[in-house]
Amino acid sequence: MTTDFVRNFDTPLIMLTGKDGLSLRDACNGGIFCTGQPGSGKSSGLGKIIASAFCLGGLGGVVCICKPTELTAWKECAKKHGREHDVVVFGEGEGINFLEYIFAQAGADGADRVTDTLMSVIDSSDKAAGQGGGKKGDEFWQQTSRQLVLYSVAALYGATGTVRMQDLIRFIDSAPTVKPPTREEQKVLQETNFTVKTLRQMQKNPVREIAPDLCAASINYWLHQYPNLAPTTRSSIVITVTAKLSRFNTGRLRKAFCDKTTILPEFTFAGKIILLNFPCLTMPYEGVVAQQLFSSLWMQAVEGRNALPKQFYERPVFYYADEAQFFIQPRLDLFMSVSRDCRASVVLLTQSLATLYAQLGKDQSDYIDGLIGKFGQLLACLNSCSRTNKFWMELCGKGIKIRKTQSQNTTRAINTNRGGSAASTQEGWNRSDSSNEGSSMQEYETYFLPSDYFSTQLKTGAVKHNFEVTGVWFKAGANFLEPIPETSSNILLARFTQN
């Protein structure tokens, strides 16, 4: 039985204060971004409550898993709200042959999409290896690597009608780098070399027709451009590409992405909640690559679903990532730009901005800032990171405050006089009291919430705070009924109960 879902986008999902709530429309209008140090309550507060709200609302979605305990928590949450039949665990016998999946959707035009996906896999590999966004190479290396992948994919698909990872790697490794000097040697090469045989079949007897210009460009690349590359350049490109793609030939990545297809991103359109069971803490490399790859496929599916019949696009969906620094990818920025139209909510939780910059690379700061700027709802939990707290201080903005000054002065004086002569004496005294009071008021501009507010004034739950978590909730253009006193109307103190 298909799970029903909330259709009124003004339905409140959670309450932030006694009078202010987060509606489904709010959740899909830019999503939710949250920061908080370990132990701040961001996961057990906001994370737990928003997960329950998505389950109760009948949303389908994808959940990235960093810690193994998150898998258990989401299963329990789904069961609590009657959604256990909607949970699909990707990584426990489930798989998607992503190369077949893309070509099945796009046909011969899928070569570019497959290439872009494979390049994102290579980029994810760099991040998983701790090389960050700033060390993935200059424009030359990226473009030459993309050329190699594109013309390999096109040749294989045209010649055989399919692209398998082991064939892709074999095709690249087998490519001749020197033209044989004699005709006899050339004939032997044409009959025995896998790359040359594939190119000839694509040209003479293709299984799938590809665009003539792409066919010609592929042949020209492998027979002329590739052999003429400098040996060190050529070997660097080949090693970079094949070493990273070869991980899909063995282990969990092969079973999950290069074997049979039993799971599709589109399952979420029917209310399924797909848990990506590749925890980054226990499998740092495979976890990042696998989850970013499936997430990318899911985002592309969501972006295109508005062209499908109504039953495939009317249900709201979500993308949830705690410890989001491991799962942010270039595709996410584009997805955030269109998520509202696609009825999709994005929820990212991370420790600090410094964590994001460190994971993605310093030269990605503009990208990170731009991504955060797309979120409609932002939550600050307790944090000791000065860089993050400065961001929140500046985001909440400045305003006019009034400084009151009061003063009081009291003066008391006593004078004594004594005088006389041989015939008489005189004695006397006098006292005087005086007091004055004054007050003044001065207007001055200052930040609504100083940076130390975010490191000292927020509750982190547990017994100490009676299991209550608080955070500063910011929504551009909002007019909350219960904002934080003496701040803007779009800033409130959100309260979440851990129990």
Side-chain angles (χ1 to χ4, degrees):
M1 183 178 68
T2 303
T3 301
D4 198 10
F5 59 93
V6 174
R7 289 171 170 78
N8 183 356
F9 271 64
D10 293 318
T11 301
L13 290 179
I14 61 176
M15 295 304 296
L16 304 174
T17 66
K19 298 180 180 180
D20 298 293
L22 173 78
S23 68
L24 179 58
R25 188 181 306 279
D26 292 331
C28 293
N29 189 15
I32 305 168
F33 177 78
C34 173
T35 63
Q37 68 182 35
S40 63
K42 65 179 182 298
S43 301
S44 59
L46 171 68
K48 183 177 179 181
I49 290 177
I50 201 69
S52 295
F54 286 161
C55 287
L56 283 170
L59 279 71
V62 168
V63 180
C64 296
I65 303 293
C66 179
K67 298 169 285 189
T69 53
E70 293 178 54
L71 181 69
T72 303
W74 271 90
K75 284 183 175 180
E76 292 176 349
C77 179
K79 183 177 181 180
K80 178 180 178 181
H81 301 295
R83 297 288 303 279
E84 64 269 27
H85 63 283
D86 283 327
V87 172
V88 179
V89 181
F90 179 52
E92 294 182 357
E94 303 289 352
I96 176 172
N97 189 313
F98 76 102
L99 296 174
E100 290 182 354
Y101 170 77
I102 295 175
F103 275 117
Q105 290 184 319
D109 294 331
D112 272 309
R113 275 190 59 189
V114 167
T115 300
D116 290 337
T117 302
L118 290 172
M119 293 304 295
S120 74
V121 168
I122 293 172
D123 183 58
S124 299
S125 302
D126 289 337
K127 293 184 175 67
Q131 296 176 13
K135 298 183 180 180
K136 62 184 179 181
D138 59 21
E139 189 71 15
F140 169 79
W141 292 104
Q142 291 185 54
Q143 291 301 322
T144 51
S145 296
R146 191 183 189 284
Q147 268 189 316
L148 180 140
V149 173
L150 173 61
Y151 296 138
S152 301
V153 168
L156 285 168
Y157 186 73
T160 67
T162 186
V163 178
R164 297 185 302 172
M165 191 63 73
Q166 61 266 40
D167 290 339
L168 179 61
I169 296 172
R170 181 186 176 193
F171 181 92
I172 296 171
D173 284 337
S174 302
T177 58
V178 178
K179 183 179 180 180
T182 66
R183 290 185 177 181
E184 290 75 12
E185 291 176 323
Q186 292 177 19
K187 184 177 180 181
V188 171
L189 186 71
Q190 293 172 358
E191 294 176 349
T192 60
N193 183 274
F194 179 70
T195 304
V196 176
K197 288 197 300 180
T198 302
L199 291 171
R200 285 176 61 84
Q201 183 167 344
M202 175 189 65
Q203 186 179 28
K204 304 291 185 180
N205 188 28
V207 175
R208 301 282 187 183
E209 291 289 344
I210 63 173
D213 57 343
L214 181 58
C215 178
S218 299
I219 293 173
N220 180 67
Y221 176 80
W222 288 109
L223 297 185
H224 300 288
Q225 295 182 40
Y226 181 77
N228 289 326
L229 288 172
T232 54
T233 301
R234 184 173 56 239
S235 61
S236 295
I237 297 170
V238 170
I239 291 172
T240 297
V241 172
T242 58
K244 291 166 183 176
L245 296 184
S246 64
R247 287 183 177 261
F248 285 85
N249 277 337
T250 59
R252 292 192 65 176
L253 290 179
R254 184 191 67 79
K255 293 179 180 179
F257 293 103
C258 299
D259 204 347
K260 296 180 180 179
T261 295
T262 61
I263 184 174
L264 296 172
E266 288 83 356
F267 284 2
T268 60
F269 304 167
K272 298 302 180 184
I273 300 174
I274 301 176
L275 308 181
L276 306 182
N277 188 28
F278 289 82
C280 294
L281 288 187
T282 56
M283 47 182 74
Y285 182 91
E286 290 85 356
V288 172
V289 173
Q291 296 191 65
Q292 288 200 17
L293 174 53
F294 190 91
S295 298
S296 177
L297 297 175
W298 179 80
M299 291 176 195
Q300 292 178 58
V302 174
E303 290 165 6
R305 72 173 182 155
N306 284 354
L308 301 176
K310 183 178 179 181
Q311 65 266 29
F312 297 110
Y313 70 76
E314 63 178 345
R315 182 190 300 270
V317 293
F318 69 89
Y319 176 76
Y320 180 98
D322 198 350
E323 302 299 341
Q325 64 270 15
F326 295 113
F327 309 114
I328 291 177
Q329 56 178 299
R331 183 84 203 180
L332 183 58
D333 184 68
L334 173 62
F335 184 70
M336 288 290 299
S337 300
V338 299
S339 60
R340 178 174 175 269
D341 293 334
C342 299
R343 297 176 175 84
S345 176
V346 176
V347 180
L348 300 186
L349 289 75
T350 189
Q351 296 174 11
S352 64
L353 297 188
T355 303
L356 295 180
Y357 295 135
Q359 183 68 24
L360 275 74
K362 291 183 178 180
D363 73 330
Q364 297 296 305
S365 60
D366 288 341
Y367 167 78
I368 295 171
D369 293 343
L371 179 66
I372 295 174
K374 290 182 172 64
F375 282 90
Q377 321 284 326
L378 298 98
L379 175 68
C381 293
L382 189 76
N383 216 315
S384 59
C385 174
S386 59
R387 186 174 188 174
T388 303
N389 292 342
K390 181 182 178 182
F391 163 81
W392 287 110
M393 177 184 71
E394 294 177 346
L395 180 68
C396 292
K398 293 182 177 181
I400 301 298
K401 290 190 176 183
I402 298 176
R403 181 186 291 115
K404 295 181 180 180
T405 304
Q406 290 184 321
S407 61
Q408 181 176 1
N409 296 315
T410 302
T411 303
R412 172 171 292 178
I414 299 176
N415 297 318
T416 302
N417 299 314
R418 175 175 293 181
S421 61
S424 63
T425 61
Q426 292 180 336
E427 238 179 69
W429 62 275
N430 61 71
R431 187 178 78 177
S432 63
D433 294 321
S434 64
S435 64
N436 60 76
E437 296 182 0
S439 64
S440 63
M441 291 189 299
Q442 179 184 10
E443 291 185 346
Y444 66 101
E445 185 182 48
T446 187
Y447 287 105
F448 286 128
L449 298 174
S451 60
D452 63 354
Y453 181 94
F454 303 95
S455 61
T456 61
Q457 301 301 310
L458 301 175
K459 296 180 180 180
T460 58
V463 176
K464 179 181 179 181
H465 297 111
N466 197 26
F467 299 99
E468 183 181 59
V469 176
T470 60
V472 176
W473 192 282
F474 177 94
K475 177 185 176 183
N479 189 21
F480 292 126
L481 298 176
E482 293 184 334
I484 298 176
E486 298 184 4
T487 66
S488 176
S489 62
N490 65 332
I491 306 169
L492 59 74
L493 188 67
R495 302 178 184 275
F496 308 106
T497 302
Q498 292 175 315
N499 291 338

